[in-house]
Amino acid sequence: MNKLSLVKYKHGNENGLMHYVIFESEVVVLSEYKSKKVTHIEENGTVNVTFDIKSDNLEVLNASVVTDKAYVERVYNYMLEINNAYFTDGFETLCVIKIFKK
C-alpha cells in the first residue's frame, strides 16, 4: 500500500483513484452509492485495483458494498479524524466499499 492512501481502479471504460483507509483491519473506501463502480462491485463481487498508483498492472480482488448507515458514519468520521477524507459534506449518500486483499 502507498503513502498517499490511494488505490487505482478500473472497470469497463471507467478508471480513477479512490482514497482508502485501514479501518478495523480492513481496507475500506467511501463512495457515492449511485456510482458505476458500486454497481460493478454489487454485480460482480470484485474490483480491479492496484495500490501502486504508478502501475497499470491491476489485480482482481474480491470486494463488497456496505450500506449500513451506522458503519458508513463510523468510516466517514474516522477518515475525517485522520485527515484522509475525500468526502466532507456528510455521509447520507455514501456507502463503504470493502476491498479484500489476498
Side-chain angles (χ1 to χ4, degrees), residues 3-85:
K3 292 180 183 178
L4 298 175
S5 298
L6 294 172
V7 60
K8 184 188 292 187
Y9 73 92
K10 182 174 181 156
H11 61 87
N13 293 326
E14 185 95 8
N15 59 53
L17 298 172
M18 302 182 288
H19 288 259
Y20 75 87
V21 295
I22 306 299
F23 182 74
E24 297 177 349
S25 302
E26 295 182 299
V27 178
V28 297
V29 172
L30 282 175
S31 176
E32 288 285 347
Y33 182 71
K34 293 184 178 183
S35 68
K36 292 178 184 177
K37 67 180 162 282
V38 169
T39 300
H40 174 83
I41 292 167
E42 288 184 323
E43 289 175 356
N44 299 286
T46 61
V47 63
N48 298 328
V49 296
T50 180
F51 288 91
D52 178 359
I53 61 171
K54 294 179 181 177
S55 174
D56 288 327
N57 296 324
L58 284 73
E59 63 181 315
V60 178
L61 295 179
N62 290 333
S64 66
V65 176
V66 179
T67 57
D68 176 74
K69 285 300 173 193
Y71 184 76
V72 173
E73 181 179 18
R74 288 189 3 244
V75 171
Y76 175 83
N77 288 335
Y78 179 72
M79 291 180 97
L80 288 174
E81 287 172 22
I82 65 167
N83 201 26
N84 186 18

